[in-house]
Amino acid sequence: MNILRSRLDPAWVRSTLNPWAMMTSMSCSKVMLSTLPPEPVIASKKPYKVELVGGKRYSWCTCGHSKKQPFCDGSHKTKAQGLAPHRFVPEKDSTVWLCGCKYTNNPPFCDGTHKSEFIQSSPLAEESDVKS
């Protein structure tokens, strides 16, 4: 039997104009069309005061799951796949405030975002880990 369809066949018209129509009649495995990276969890509602050494490479945790806050311990590999640490090298020795809420617009530095209602009303990472 010939399974090729002519352009006059209503099924061909439906599948050409709406390719998803064919998918509804076909049995197929779960398909993920697109995924967004996971949202970071809030490790702290306050910034971390840190002494940085100039020229040394640091990895700031972006996922919020690290037990070595504010720095990365690799927890994102299992708990927040799709997120990666923010690596940076300060030019000189300095004392800085690194973001603890993970929603800064100037990573890895605190920009005061932790003062927003969204952050203040959200649970901390440990609280959300206990609930799940």
Side-chain angles (χ1 to χ4, degrees):
M1 177 175 203
N2 188 353
I3 59 172
L4 295 176
R5 296 185 176 148
S6 74
R7 292 184 179 185
L8 299 176
D9 183 1
W12 181 88
V13 173
R14 275 194 311 274
S15 66
T16 303
L17 298 177
N18 183 3
W20 298 110
M22 291 297 288
M23 298 280 288
T24 59
S25 62
M26 299 167 52
S27 66
C28 57
S29 61
K30 183 177 178 181
V31 176
M32 298 191 66
L33 299 175
S34 73
T35 57
L36 297 173
E39 290 288 317
V41 295
I42 299 168
S44 173
K45 295 183 182 181
K46 295 180 181 178
Y48 296 94
K49 186 177 181 180
V50 179
E51 299 283 333
L52 299 178
V53 176
K56 182 178 176 185
R57 183 173 139 169
Y58 293 93
S59 295
W60 174 70
C61 171
T62 61
C63 73
H65 291 285
S66 175
K67 300 295 182 204
K68 296 181 178 180
Q69 290 295 333
F71 301 109
C72 179
D73 68 357
S75 295
H76 63 276
K77 294 175 186 173
T78 57
K79 295 184 177 183
Q81 294 176 353
L83 290 177
H86 177 83
R87 293 188 171 89
F88 68 101
V89 179
E91 292 181 14
K92 58 182 181 178
D93 292 1
S94 57
T95 301
V96 298
W97 293 92
L98 298 183
C99 178
C101 73
K102 310 304 176 188
Y103 285 88
T104 181
N105 290 311
N106 186 27
F109 307 104
C110 176
D111 67 356
T113 303
H114 64 275
K115 297 174 185 174
S116 70
E117 178 63 29
F118 166 72
I119 300 298
Q120 292 301 314
S121 63
S122 297
L124 292 174
E126 298 91 32
E127 295 171 10
S128 59
D129 286 345
V130 171
K131 292 177 184 175
S132 37

